[in-house]
Amino acid sequence: MASRTRRAADRLLFPIKKRRHKVGLAPGSVVFVGEERSTPITCRLTNYAPDLHEVSDEDDVEVAVQRFLESDESTVTWLDVSGVHEPDKVQTIGNQLGLSPLLQEDIANTGQRPKVDESPEAIYIAAKMLRYTDDAERPHLIAEQISLIVRPEGVVSFQEVPGDILDPLRERIARGRGRIRSSGPAYLAYAILDVLVDYYFVVLETMAERAELLEDAVLEDPNDHTQSALNEMRRDLAHVRRHAWPMREVLSHLERTQHPLWPDDVLRPYVRDAYEHAVQVLDMVESLRDLAGGLMDLYMTSLSNRMNEVMKVLTIIGTIFIPLTFVAGIYGMNFENMPELSAPYGYPITMASMAAIALVLVYYFRRKSWL
């Protein structure tokens, strides 16, 4: 249990540990802050319009960015970059897109909070994607940073590793569902944020199911494994809350922004809806935190009740043996003038008396419902 606790703490604290080597560097220094990766950086280009949909993969990031910048103005291009663990490539992409060094630093720093940064030529949005791992035996919550660059050509997204929860959005684009194929880059950025926020509900539903199972375990057989699962659930809820609060601020900022790349008159109702979903997420988090706290109190109460039951049984056993020990102690003194010592039936009478005393006490305790 202790090792699992340390691993869970490391997952939450590794951005703090990785920041140590950034001390003293100049502002805008592109240094990767996150969990070490060995997978190569890959790019996927999705180009779409009302009557067009093209998807292609590109291993050369410079070529992928150049194709993004040369895309037709009548289409929307989504450049999805998987991997930010190579600072030189992140810097290359940022320079091609004309991003400031501070924005490039934010893209490589995967431990920051969600935020919005506006510049005349682009809008930078940092968000968090929460999901559980596919480990069936012991899944754990992971938070992956997604950075979005909204430009006139389209949207550039940066993810930490390949694989995400955006496949439903890609399917909508491929099949032309809704209004996404007829909308601009800002709507694509909103759609990505909306999927991230909606998936928070999936994470919370998983936690609610875990809470139901833990409640049964607490009532039936509370043990160290139950306590470990409760502690991990409380840590995960704190993790969700820490990312959901700034996500709500991001959506609130986008609802009020007047940036030319963000048509507020068109997107405001949609962003407001996503903002309300973020508020619901926070309400659910608070409810689950109260539930987790109640389960922990119930766990401690169950342990106390079990201890009380054990102590009651031991006390009853000790109470039964007190008079028996008293009788045995009297007749174990071996004085010469004790008349009962020479009685021919003294031993069976004494044993029968002790048995009778024990039976009377057991009967009395059962009448009192103590046994």
Side-chain angles (χ1 to χ4, degrees):
M1 182 181 67
S3 61
R4 290 196 299 266
T5 302
R6 286 194 297 271
R7 288 197 299 269
D10 289 341
R11 290 198 302 270
L12 300 182
L13 296 177
F14 78 83
I16 299 177
K17 297 177 180 178
K18 296 293 183 180
R19 283 180 177 270
R20 294 175 180 173
H21 64 277
K22 292 192 63 179
V23 176
L25 296 179
S29 300
V30 182
V31 178
F32 174 63
V33 179
E35 189 175 353
E36 296 297 335
R37 312 285 184 186
S38 58
T39 55
I41 294 180
T42 59
C43 300
R44 170 177 291 185
L45 279 163
T46 303
N47 197 30
Y48 63 86
D51 56 350
L52 173 69
H53 178 254
E54 297 176 346
V55 179
S56 59
D57 294 327
E58 183 62 62
D59 295 331
D60 192 329
V61 294
E62 295 186 25
V63 174
V65 176
Q66 191 63 33
R67 290 178 57 188
F68 171 82
L69 295 174
E70 295 174 352
S71 58
D72 192 343
E73 295 181 356
S74 62
T75 64
V76 176
T77 304
W78 178 11
L79 173 58
D80 187 14
V81 181
S82 297
V84 294
H85 52 280
E86 298 183 31
D88 53 341
K89 291 187 178 181
V90 173
Q91 195 168 11
T92 299
I93 297 174
N95 291 335
Q96 285 184 269
L97 295 174
L99 302 180
S100 68
L102 292 176
L103 284 185
Q104 298 177 29
E105 179 185 9
D106 290 339
I107 292 172
N109 177 14
T110 61
Q112 65 178 337
R113 71 196 305 268
K115 68 173 186 176
V116 179
D117 193 351
E118 299 180 4
S119 62
E121 66 279 358
I123 301 176
Y124 170 74
I125 305 172
K128 289 293 182 179
M129 178 176 65
L130 300 180
R131 57 194 172 102
Y132 276 100
T133 59
D134 297 330
D135 187 359
E137 295 183 359
R138 193 169 186 83
H140 63 269
L141 183 68
I142 57 176
E144 180 182 345
Q145 177 169 302
I146 293 184
S147 299
L148 305 178
I149 308 294
V150 184
R151 292 176 52 91
E153 300 88 353
V155 175
V156 182
S157 62
F158 295 86
Q159 304 182 43
E160 296 184 41
V161 291
D164 53 37
I165 59 174
L166 300 178
D167 286 340
L169 175 59
R170 296 187 180 95
E171 183 179 356
R172 282 168 50 195
I173 296 175
R175 299 189 178 185
R177 294 177 179 175
R179 56 176 299 168
I180 190 166
R181 291 259 291 263
S182 59
S183 302
Y187 190 88
L188 173 60
Y190 149 74
I192 294 174
L193 295 176
D194 185 58
V195 172
L196 299 183
V197 174
D198 286 345
Y199 210 82
Y200 284 12
F201 288 102
V202 177
V203 171
L204 293 177
E205 288 173 2
T206 302
M207 291 185 179
E209 294 173 357
R210 290 173 58 193
E212 293 179 1
L213 297 176
L214 287 174
E215 184 176 9
D216 295 337
V218 167
L219 293 175
E220 296 174 2
D221 184 25
N223 50 41
D224 292 342
H225 176 73
T226 305
Q227 184 182 17
S228 176
L230 282 172
N231 290 333
E232 185 171 357
M233 179 180 175
R234 297 175 71 181
R235 285 192 300 269
D236 289 348
L237 285 170
H239 208 35
V240 174
R241 186 176 185 271
R242 191 170 72 247
H243 297 308
W245 271 105
M247 276 292 289
R248 188 186 69 165
E249 297 173 4
V250 166
L251 294 169
S252 177
H253 180 97
L254 292 175
E255 184 183 359
R256 301 188 310 268
T257 186
Q258 301 293 326
H259 198 282
L261 291 174
W262 198 268
D264 58 319
D265 55 336
V266 177
L267 287 179
R268 180 174 289 118
Y270 300 101
V271 177
R272 184 183 301 115
D273 180 68
Y275 171 82
E276 293 172 355
H277 289 172
V279 173
Q280 294 176 17
V281 167
L282 289 172
D283 291 340
M284 290 181 62
V285 168
E286 295 302 324
S287 299
L288 286 175
R289 289 183 70 189
D290 293 340
L291 177 59
L295 288 177
M296 182 60 71
D297 293 339
L298 181 60
Y299 171 78
M300 299 304 295
T301 302
S302 298
L303 286 185
S304 179
N305 290 338
R306 291 181 62 182
M307 181 62 67
N308 290 338
E309 289 294 327
V310 172
M311 294 303 297
K312 184 175 70 174
V313 172
L314 294 177
T315 302
I316 290 174
I317 294 175
T319 303
I320 292 174
F321 275 91
I322 285 175
L324 306 185
T325 305
F326 175 75
V327 173
I330 290 178
Y331 289 100
M333 293 186 293
N334 296 324
F335 288 114
E336 294 182 1
N337 295 325
M338 291 180 65
E340 293 86 356
L341 293 179
S342 59
Y345 299 104
Y347 175 76
I349 292 175
T350 302
M351 296 301 294
S353 301
M354 294 171 67
I357 293 172
L359 291 174
V360 168
L361 289 174
V362 170
Y363 173 76
Y364 176 77
F365 292 146
R366 289 189 65 85
R367 285 290 301 273
K368 291 288 188 178
S369 299
W370 293 349
L371 280 177

